[in-house]
Amino acid sequence: SQQGEEDPQALSIQEGENATMNCSYKTSINNLQWYRQNSGRGLVHLILIRSNEREKHSGRLRVTLDTSKKSSSLLITASRAADTASYFCATEEYIRGSRLTFGEGTQLTVNP
Amino acid sequence: DAGVTQSPTHLIKTRGQQVTLRCSPISGHKSVSWYQQVLGQGPQFIFQYYEKEERGRGNFPDRFSARQFPNYSSELNVNALLLGDSALYLCASSLSGFRGRGTDTQYFGPGTRLTVL
């Protein structure tokens, strides 16, 4: 079952604009991660934010986490055509081992 | 350094057949996880292995099995294939996969695209 729900399901913007994707989850988490996937291939890890962190930056990426609302957002600033991809949030749980539970993703299209 | 590698890249099978997918983790990583991604959906957790032991299993039938070898590579086996098994199978490796051992980012391979006819 999918714990995370991404919003919106699809987003189309122009190059140079900012893109914001949101993720909601249901259970307590240890951390939340964002991944990018190009054309149905492997996932590329973008950023990890721990449950005791509220905001994190990495280059043009900014992630926020609100554990009281069980939600996170990913902001991509000054988007480029190369940012076109599917973006997934994933929550990590420790049940004997570690497992990621993914949402269904946001398809981002950046038009040149 | 090489990332996570998976083989084969693509595979076509017919219903009822069996398939074996392979994964080599990043050097130094001892944990391997398998995920199934059906078209249009997010990946779903199948298994995690650490030091050759199963550490977690998702909600998949017993037709799915896996193992990890002493060199930490892993195989995923699926028996009695169904049309619904058609998916991208992703392997991910991490250092340990255990709580309290720091940040365990999972690094994914390119996946194996399985088509069941």
Side-chain angles (χ1 to χ4, degrees), chain B residues 4-9 11 18-25 32 34 67 69 73-77 89-91 110-112:
Chain B
V4 177
T5 58
Q6 291 186 245
S7 63
T9 305
L11 204 51
Q18 174 263 341
V19 68
T20 298
L21 311 180
R22 297 176 176 81
C23 171
S24 292
V32 170
W34 287 94
R67 55 179 176 168
F69 299 99
S73 67
S74 176
E75 286 182 351
L76 174 70
N77 295 285
Y89 287 85
L90 295 161
C91 172
T112 294

Side-chain angles (χ1 to χ4, degrees), chain A residues 17-32:
Chain A
E17 294 181 338
N18 295 340
T20 300
M21 289 160 269
N22 303 297
C23 167
S24 61
Y25 57 91
K26 297 173 185 173
T27 63
S28 296
I29 60 172
N30 294 296
N31 63 62
L32 187 143

Side-chain angles (χ1 to χ4, degrees), chain B residues 49-91:
Chain B
Y49 275 78
Y50 174 74
E51 293 280 13
K52 297 179 288 181
E53 288 188 13
E54 181 184 304
R55 290 292 179 172
R57 183 187 182 110
N59 188 24
F60 280 82
D62 292 343
R63 299 184 296 107
F64 288 77
S65 63
R67 55 179 176 168
Q68 187 177 33
F69 299 99
N71 66 355
Y72 304 111
S73 67
S74 176
E75 286 182 351
L76 174 70
N77 295 285
V78 186
N79 294 322
L81 285 167
L82 303 174
L83 294 179
D85 295 331
S86 295
L88 181 68
Y89 287 85
L90 295 161
C91 172

Side-chain angles (χ1 to χ4, degrees), chain A residues 5-48:
Chain A
E5 293 182 4
E6 276 100 340
D7 164 49
Q9 289 187 323
L11 181 61
S12 182
I13 60 174
Q14 297 298 123
E15 258 190 331
E17 294 181 338
N18 295 340
T20 300
M21 289 160 269
N22 303 297
C23 167
S24 61
Y25 57 91
K26 297 173 185 173
T27 63
S28 296
I29 60 172
N30 294 296
N31 63 62
L32 187 143
Q33 305 179 35
W34 285 89
Y35 286 86
R36 185 186 74 216
Q37 185 176 43
N38 291 84
S39 302
R41 297 304 290 169
L43 296 162
V44 175
H45 183 262
L46 296 176
I47 198 165
L48 178 151

Side-chain angles (χ1 to χ4, degrees), chain A residues 31-101:
Chain A
N31 63 62
L32 187 143
Q33 305 179 35
W34 285 89
Y35 286 86
R36 185 186 74 216
Q37 185 176 43
N38 291 84
S39 302
R41 297 304 290 169
L43 296 162
V44 175
H45 183 262
L46 296 176
I47 198 165
L48 178 151
I49 186 165
R50 301 183 193 209
S51 58
N52 61 354
E53 297 176 313
R54 292 297 166 257
E55 187 171 314
K56 204 161 182 180
H57 296 255
S58 176
R60 294 184 296 112
L61 306 179
R62 173 179 169 251
V63 169
T64 61
L65 179 65
D66 187 336
T67 52
S68 66
K69 295 181 179 178
K70 290 186 168 58
S71 67
S72 174
S73 67
L74 170 67
L75 169 67
I76 304 174
T77 60
S79 64
R80 307 165 181 168
D83 294 329
T84 295
S86 293
Y87 291 81
F88 293 91
C89 69
T91 53
E92 186 169 32
E93 302 168 87
Y94 291 96
I95 306 172
R96 210 171 150 236
S98 170
R99 64 182 68 187
L100 294 175
T101 302

